[in-house]
Amino acid sequence: TQSCNSDIPSSSLSVDSESLQRQLEKDVLARRFIKDLMGRSGLSVHEDAVGNIFGRWEGTESELPAVATGSHIDAIPYSGKYDGVVGVLGAIEAINVLRRSGFKPKRSLEVILFTSEEPTRFGISCLGRLAGYAKDQEDLSSVFMKEGHYSAFLELHIEQGPILEEEGISIGIVTAIAAPASIKVDFEGNGGHAGAVLMPYRNDAGLAAAELALAVEKHVLDSGSVDTVGTVGIMELHPGAINSIPSKSHVEIDTRDIDESRRDTVIEKVHLSAIAIAEKRKVKLSEFRIVNKDPPALSDKSVIEAMQFASQHLNLSHKFMISRAYHDSLFMARISPMGMIFIPCYKGYSHKPEEHASIEDIANGVKVLAVTMAKLSLK
Ligand code: HGY
Ligand code: MN
Ligand code: MN
Ligand code: MN
């Protein structure tokens, strides 16, 4: 049956901004807190073998694939408290909004807290889907979701860029997510005494790392597009003493682009540079490991239309845009029609303590998420 829009909650939805703001502050209590919130929202809660947490609101036709939404609550060091968290607490509040409005889901609605989206803890991002750390294979297979498991997957997230705030637009409707890749590189040299070893006799692993970092910048800038980015966020020198020539260096590189082949060209050039630098400086290139090299993801047309309907229904300004950050949605797009809802954040800041989103913008995002889920649930 076609969902008639009269079943969609009216635009006078009520978001409990007070408690949502408080929840954002309290987020540090982490998963237990989230499971407790899910329970209080009447969701039935279960956890899988890698710690993804699912809260489910059974629909009237619960045998149909559910509509899911979610994000992450883990963060990188010295960062903010909105990246990911808005998409988990906001999703639970969207369920509360629908319940308060008297909405009855046809397809079940599921809120997901994904384990370890950030690469900080385990050196690889979005662990909750692609690789598990369950105690054995049998458990791990229980983690994988099959294509069609959900009828749609949505993620509410801060933009982590300046566009919405600069243009005074309330909602970003994400059409694509850029393709991320990460590389780990190790150089080894002889090291030695910083005073006693004259320059001609050195093979300094630290300078090899420094030269590679500049090579990353050069290859990225030479890509021919401003959409290509590259970052050396980690550079470790061993033994890390002012008066000892680095005998080892460890470099971690993040490079992305909305064009996958352009990104892959950068990776190839960086690899050639690492080999050339090792030769020139007589150090050993002991590791050049591509940790991940993911394709971009496109949002699904029907989900985009539902997000656009919701923004119009709520009379909120909105624009189509791409996400240069990756998200749990990048991987969920491989098994389900995907869509992301962006809200503005302060000066576009993210992955730093100044990250901030106003509770008004968060409430707008929650309402758009609620109406989008309602529309997709009645499909
Ligand atoms: O790095 C990213 O794009 C995400 O915030 N983990
Ligand atoms: Mn992040
Ligand atoms: Mn995030
Ligand atoms: Mn290494």
Side-chain angles (χ1 to χ4, degrees), residues 72 74-76 83-84 117-119 157 160 325-327 350-351 355:
H72 61 102
D74 60 308
I76 68 165
D83 171 3
E117 189 264 1
E118 298 292 0
H157 207 286
Q160 295 177 303
Y326 62 75
H327 305 279
S350 185
H351 282 196
E355 180 183 280

Side-chain angles (χ1 to χ4, degrees), residues 184-187 236 249-252 286-289:
K184 292 187 177 182
V185 182
D186 289 335
F187 289 111
E236 292 155 356
S249 59
H250 177 75
V251 182
E252 298 195 13
S286 46
E287 184 181 74
F288 187 91
R289 185 156 63 91

